[in-house]
Amino acid sequence: MASPENPFYVGLRSAVVQETDALSYLNIRSFILDFERTTPEGIIARLRGLEKEYDAVVATCYSTPSINAALRQISGKVPLIAFINDLPDSGRLAYFGPDHERSGRVAGELMGRFLGGEGGGVLLIQGFRSMLNQSMRERGFRAVMSERFPQCTVLASGESEDAPERPGQIVLEEFRRHPSMRGIYNMSSGSRSVAAARQRLGDSGSMVYITHELTASRRALLRAGLVDAVIDHNNNVAARSLLNFLAAHFGRMLPQAPEPFTPFQIYLRENC
């Protein structure tokens, strides 16, 4: 997975460690490896040869033809599991994580209700468009806007490449082009930079900001009124399901019916 410079991956690592410890009686160990660079070349370099060192590989990354080829090299030798972001062209044995299209639909429902009858224009921010989870979130969000909230429109979309300051820059750039912008849906990291951009614009609550995953910084931003809603997924459930799946695959326990997708909770200022 990506390095813990992104706060989301701190929580994801913690979930994997906790759930692995809970299965210590089965003699299962997890080793967490970082992608030093999240370029395709950096991801491929980290993946190379893992099938020779480990009994299974769990990957959290985006997809390109070259990354898929590296993943298929692994999946031909050992079980490959897609975690958090699905990798359907990788030869993966299973996927564990959220139903991202449903999460996007929930974000769209929240945005439409927050903006109300007046509606308004919305900016979408993705980390990597090549990550299936974020394209699915966008698809779900746009579908709900079209089905239920025709007074709301998507004005623009930007790609941050998970650079923490880039989402805030995108907000400022797009606000100059679309000064009537009333909503921001950020599907990835960089909430502090978005909050800083809102403050720089003098936004006093007229703009709605919705994002995913309740990190410590996003909790603080919720309490400060700089984030309006966070859709948070239970990564412990996802980690537990994938580890149980692998334990059953290797004959360490009987197969269990996994959670179909990671459950989620919506956090507002009052319950964060």
Side-chain angles (χ1 to χ4, degrees):
M1 65 177 71
S3 77
E5 292 175 2
N6 181 332
F8 169 72
Y9 290 103
V10 175
L12 196 59
R13 287 160 182 270
S14 176
V16 171
V17 169
Q18 290 174 30
E19 298 304 326
T20 303
D21 287 346
L23 293 179
S24 60
Y25 68 98
L26 296 178
N27 194 26
I28 290 176
R29 290 187 294 166
S30 295
F31 300 85
I32 301 177
L33 309 179
D34 294 343
F35 298 124
E36 293 181 9
R37 295 176 298 124
T38 52
T39 61
E41 295 77 16
I43 290 172
I44 291 166
R46 176 71 279 184
L47 292 173
R48 190 172 295 122
L50 293 184
E51 73 277 6
K52 300 174 184 176
E53 301 180 51
Y54 300 97
D55 300 300
V57 173
V58 178
T60 302
C61 64
Y62 60 88
S63 173
T64 69
S66 58
I67 291 173
N68 284 336
L71 290 168
R72 284 193 293 271
Q73 175 70 29
I74 292 170
S75 66
K77 302 291 179 61
V78 299
L80 173 70
I81 307 296
F83 188 36
I84 304 304
N85 181 61
D86 200 2
L87 300 162
D89 297 324
S90 64
R92 56 100 171 113
L93 196 58
Y95 162 68
F96 293 94
D99 179 341
H100 293 289
E101 185 166 356
R102 185 182 181 208
S103 295
R105 291 184 66 87
V106 170
E109 181 78 16
L110 289 170
M111 183 67 73
R113 289 177 177 273
F114 276 132
L115 292 181
E118 184 181 348
V122 180
L123 167 66
L124 307 184
I125 304 174
Q126 297 171 307
F128 291 94
R129 289 194 176 98
S130 53
M131 288 196 81
L132 182 60
N133 64 346
Q134 291 176 39
S135 64
M136 291 177 71
R137 286 174 180 175
E138 178 175 4
R139 184 167 65 204
F141 184 90
R142 286 180 181 270
V144 167
M145 291 285 103
S146 174
E147 292 165 14
R148 298 185 193 145
F149 304 102
Q151 73 275 22
C152 302
T153 57
V154 175
L155 295 173
S157 63
E159 185 177 27
S160 71
E161 296 184 343
D162 277 353
E165 298 307 315
R166 182 61 187 145
Q169 294 168 0
I170 292 171
V171 170
L172 294 175
E173 291 165 5
E174 294 302 333
F175 188 81
R176 283 193 290 269
R177 296 187 184 97
H178 307 283
S180 62
M181 186 170 74
R182 293 194 61 217
I184 304 166
Y185 174 35
N186 181 14
M187 306 172 206
S188 188
S189 59
S191 283
R192 280 182 290 189
S193 70
V194 173
R198 289 183 65 182
Q199 290 176 312
R200 182 173 170 182
L201 292 170
D203 172 27
S204 59
S206 60
M207 196 178 295
V208 175
Y209 177 31
I210 296 171
T211 189
H212 293 268
E213 314 311 337
L214 188 67
T215 63
S217 64
R218 288 178 182 178
R219 190 186 300 273
L221 293 171
L222 268 171
R223 289 173 176 164
L226 293 169
V227 173
D228 294 283
V230 174
I231 302 165
D232 184 67
H233 297 91
N234 191 324
N235 290 326
N236 279 78
V237 172
R240 185 182 314 135
S241 294
L242 81 85
L243 288 165
N244 285 344
F245 177 87
L246 285 171
H249 178 84
F250 288 111
R252 306 289 176 88
M253 64 163 54
L254 293 175
Q256 300 182 19
E259 291 276 350
F261 289 107
T262 308
F264 66 87
Q265 184 170 352
I266 298 168
Y267 285 95
L268 309 175
R269 190 192 317 213
E270 294 299 328
N271 69 327
C272 68

